[in-house]
Amino acid sequence: MPFAAITYDIKAGYEKEIGEIFGGFRRVGSPVVKSEGEETTRILATAVFIRDATMVRVIEYEGDLQDVARFMASQPGVQEVERKLAPYLTRPRDTGTPEGFIATFNRSLLTCLTQISARDAT
């Protein structure tokens, strides 16, 4: 299963406050992502890491990463987190519209150099 990682440029020293934002995160109702009524993608797991002025959200998924971005753009819990994070960002993120969210998501993506999983071993 592929992984994606997106970065956030944050103000250092607010780990506790940012942790509280994610502690109250409203999960999506289903990990299934549909396009034109058909299941195209599934979000398997997410994790958030923070150190100093950098935060990274890691997403494990199967399917199409752009479907993940479109799905996340429409989720009320994701929108709520983005709004609550705004005061802690050193670089604003244009995530108030689906188009802005998707563009910001794509600009924030880290390049995956390698990924290895025990599930892939035969």
Side-chain angles (χ1 to χ4, degrees):
M1 306 307 157
F3 292 87
I6 57 175
T7 61
Y8 297 73
D9 298 317
I10 59 169
K11 297 174 184 173
Y14 291 97
E15 293 85 350
K16 180 181 176 200
E17 292 85 349
I18 293 172
E20 289 171 358
I21 291 170
F22 281 97
F25 179 71
R26 290 187 290 155
R27 295 178 53 96
V28 298
S30 170
V32 174
V33 179
K34 293 183 178 182
S35 178
E36 298 180 18
E38 298 290 322
E39 180 179 330
T40 61
T41 302
R42 182 177 288 267
I43 298 173
L44 303 175
T46 63
V48 178
F49 299 86
I50 191 170
R51 185 180 68 195
D52 299 328
T54 302
M55 186 173 76
V56 177
R57 176 181 277 188
V58 177
I59 305 160
E60 182 182 20
Y61 66 98
E62 54 186 20
D64 183 86
L65 184 57
Q66 289 307 299
D67 284 346
V68 170
R70 281 188 289 280
F71 180 73
M72 289 177 65
S74 69
Q75 298 305 304
V78 173
Q79 289 295 319
E80 181 180 356
V81 164
E82 290 285 338
R83 278 191 304 276
K84 288 181 176 180
L85 285 175
Y88 303 105
L89 300 175
T90 58
R91 184 180 310 168
R93 296 168 56 87
D94 175 19
T95 57
T97 65
E99 298 79 17
F101 184 97
I102 293 165
T104 299
F105 183 95
N106 288 327
R107 272 192 310 277
S108 301
L109 276 172
L110 295 173
T111 299
C112 181
L113 299 179
T114 185
Q115 54 186 54
I116 300 169
S117 172
R119 291 177 287 199
D120 298 333
T122 56

